[in-house]
Amino acid sequence: MCLAVPGRILSLQERNGTLMSIVDFGGVQKDVCLQYIPDATVGDYVVVHVGFAIQRLDEESALQTLAEFEHLGVLKEEFGNGFEIAARQAGLANPETAQPQQSDEPEVRS
Amino acid sequence: MKYLDEFSNPQLAGVLLERIRESATRRWAIMEVCGGQTHSIIRHGIDQLLPETIEMIHGPGCPVCVTPLGMIDKALDIASQPGVIFCSFGDMLRVPGSSKDLFRVKSEGGDVRVVYSPLDALELAQANPDRQVVFFGIGFETTAPANAMTVYQAKRLGIKNFSLLVSHVLVPPAIAAIMESPDCRVQAFLAAGHVCTVMGTREYPPLAEKYEVPVVVTGFEPLDILEGIRRTVIQLESGRHEVENAYPRAVAEAGNPVAKQMLEDVFEVTDRAWRGIGVIPRSGWRLSDRYREFDAEQRFAVGDLQTAESSICRSGEVLQGLIKPHECAAFGKQCTPRNPLGATMVSSEGACAAYYLYRRLDLPAEVAHA
């Protein structure tokens, strides 16, 4: 969650009185709030952090950064399934897909 | 171990490294504040490519790592309550509390959900009016505007079943605390680029002046970091201590005025505890009086929980740049990404996790092959 990722605005819409957009991050598309860059428009590149555009960015810088983040595996981490990633790191079953355990089972940590 | 050809532009990286090598005539210790920068430095072996006289010290700028244990315990308590949907970013799932983590709460049947944006949590509140939806509001100045806007929207739309567990921290007071530590070895800072995207650069000149320390605003990508180091070394060598912006494509001096205005409306400055470091005065944000009704700590009365910190984890010293991760006796032994004792081993931006992931071959053989 630490990084902000550049993406391109595909469309604009107002939702609940809030300026929202669909932003493309090198193939992954997400809902992004544009309230902090209110004059941004379709085709612009913006730096997006946790679903909010916080700054405009030129196209060349944006594309370079996206390529770099793809290379680093950052995009997968940013947009992947949180429980799946955590389960893999922990070597445990994904609790979103597994049956709930009984709370009196032994603690997993050693 | 690391080679220049791993960089997106190896020629430019080579030129920057050469310039740094030519400029550095003495030993210098430079702290990168941001965890994203730490990850990039270790991932690309920048610390190993630099001349031996340049030491990179890893700073406290990982929001997951510095969220205090007490706040994690409050999150676990709230997330375990019936009728609650507890929303968080994915990298908080395995941060250890006193006895378990959010991942474990989910395994035990708690309704913990990972969201991409705090606005997703607000939508969940609208869709589930009979449930209490709580969002874990952690992060530095980069993340706070998103949480501020979400609370603002909750109030504007009259959504009563949404609240925020607020644990926001601020970078400049942390820099001051590091410089005032009697053990401080830091001689220059790479400031976190995206924090400055929001806040601008105007908070830094007084710090650079007071502590006589160069501050260079720097991005996350390897070439940005090399350029930040190059500019820092040039200042250090010439005895200057100024604020420079080496990330102008994303950072303006004034930052993002709309976001800053929202932050000022929704939050107010407060003392804040940092995991492993302790309380730093005026180093965080809490909800201002106008929005206090959305404070999850008040709504769920979790003020008086007892915490139990691991006695062998030295992540606090790592976060202050006093030791390197592998200097902790538990590193790679009792403490691994699979069984983390401290948050610096959990988050991919944490210094311990970065060292573990990319430095296995540097470890003693019995650890590397365990």
Side-chain angles (χ1 to χ4, degrees), chain A residues 1-3 15-16 18 35-36 49-50 52 54-55 57 61 65 68 72 77 90 95 100-101 108-109, chain B residues 8 44 89 91 94 101 104 107 117 123 142-143 145-146 149 153 156 197 220-221 249-250 256 262 348-349:
Chain A
M1 59 149 293
C2 190
L3 290 180
R15 201 185 306 161
N16 279 335
T18 305
Q35 286 287 114
Y36 292 133
H49 180 63
V50 296
F52 283 72
I54 52 173
Q55 187 59 277
L57 196 64
S61 303
T65 301
E68 184 72 46
L72 289 173
E77 198 169 296
Q101 298 173 9
V108 175
R109 292 218 172 81
Chain B
S8 56
H44 283 84
F89 297 130
D91 39 12
R94 298 202 55 250
D101 56 30
R104 178 80 177 171
S107 302
S117 160
E123 280 188 14
T142 321
T143 320
M149 176 69 77
Q153 295 287 8
R156 194 176 62 81
T197 296
F220 299 85
E221 292 154 60
R249 65 183 188 273
N256 182 320
M262 179 64 75
S348 62
E349 277 101 29

Side-chain angles (χ1 to χ4, degrees), chain B residues 136-197:
Chain B
F136 201 173
I138 68 149
F140 286 90
E141 292 94 327
T142 321
T143 320
N147 295 340
M149 176 69 77
T150 305
V151 172
Y152 171 84
Q153 295 287 8
K155 189 178 175 87
R156 194 176 62 81
L157 298 169
I159 299 172
K160 302 288 184 198
N161 62 325
F162 174 82
S163 58
L164 192 66
L165 182 61
V166 191
S167 189
H168 282 301
V169 276
L170 305 173
V171 166
I175 288 182
I178 287 164
M179 290 310 294
E180 286 181 13
S181 159
D183 302 316
C184 176
R185 296 187 299 119
V186 179
Q187 292 164 296
F189 287 96
L190 303 184
H194 290 149
V195 164
C196 297
T197 296

Side-chain angles (χ1 to χ4, degrees), chain B residues 311-330:
Chain B
S311 57
I312 54 173
C313 174
R314 298 179 70 187
S315 59
E317 291 163 88
V318 173
L319 287 168
Q320 295 171 84
L322 302 177
I323 63 165
K324 289 279 180 2
H326 60 279
E327 292 173 295
C328 171

Side-chain angles (χ1 to χ4, degrees), chain B residues 174-331:
Chain B
I175 288 182
I178 287 164
M179 290 310 294
E180 286 181 13
S181 159
D183 302 316
C184 176
R185 296 187 299 119
V186 179
Q187 292 164 296
F189 287 96
L190 303 184
H194 290 149
V195 164
C196 297
T197 296
V198 171
M199 300 302 288
T201 60
R202 289 172 187 158
E203 290 178 279
Y204 293 101
L207 290 171
E209 188 60 35
K210 180 175 180 186
Y211 299 109
E212 300 188 343
V213 65
V215 177
V216 178
V217 177
T218 307
F220 299 85
E221 292 154 60
L223 293 176
D224 288 325
I225 291 169
L226 285 176
E227 172 63 5
I229 294 169
R230 185 188 72 83
R231 292 204 197 189
T232 311
V233 169
I234 287 172
Q235 281 205 49
L236 287 166
E237 289 282 341
S238 59
R240 289 185 291 125
H241 44 84
E242 294 160 12
V243 177
E244 283 186 61
N245 182 3
Y247 197 35
R249 65 183 188 273
V251 172
E253 188 189 353
N256 182 320
V258 189
K260 282 161 80 174
Q261 198 176 344
M262 179 64 75
L263 289 168
E264 203 168 303
D265 178 36
V266 174
F267 293 126
E268 63 189 21
V269 172
T270 186
D271 297 348
R272 186 62 81 192
W274 295 53
R275 188 162 192 160
I277 296 177
V279 174
I280 302 177
R282 300 182 60 76
S283 69
W285 274 316
R286 65 176 175 189
L287 290 167
S288 63
D289 285 342
R290 290 182 295 285
Y291 296 91
R292 198 60 59 76
E293 65 192 287
F294 295 98
D295 185 350
E297 279 191 74
Q298 293 200 352
R299 194 170 291 190
F300 294 90
V302 286
D304 296 321
L305 291 176
Q306 294 295 312
T307 60
E309 192 97 54
S310 160
S311 57
I312 54 173
C313 174
R314 298 179 70 187
S315 59
E317 291 163 88
V318 173
L319 287 168
Q320 295 171 84
L322 302 177
I323 63 165
K324 289 279 180 2
H326 60 279
E327 292 173 295
C328 171
F331 177 80

Side-chain angles (χ1 to χ4, degrees), chain A residues 22-39:
Chain A
I22 306 285
V23 172
D24 178 77
F25 302 93
V28 181
Q29 293 176 8
K30 288 277 179 191
D31 277 345
V32 168
C33 179
L34 283 185
Q35 286 287 114
Y36 292 133
I37 312 283
D39 56 347

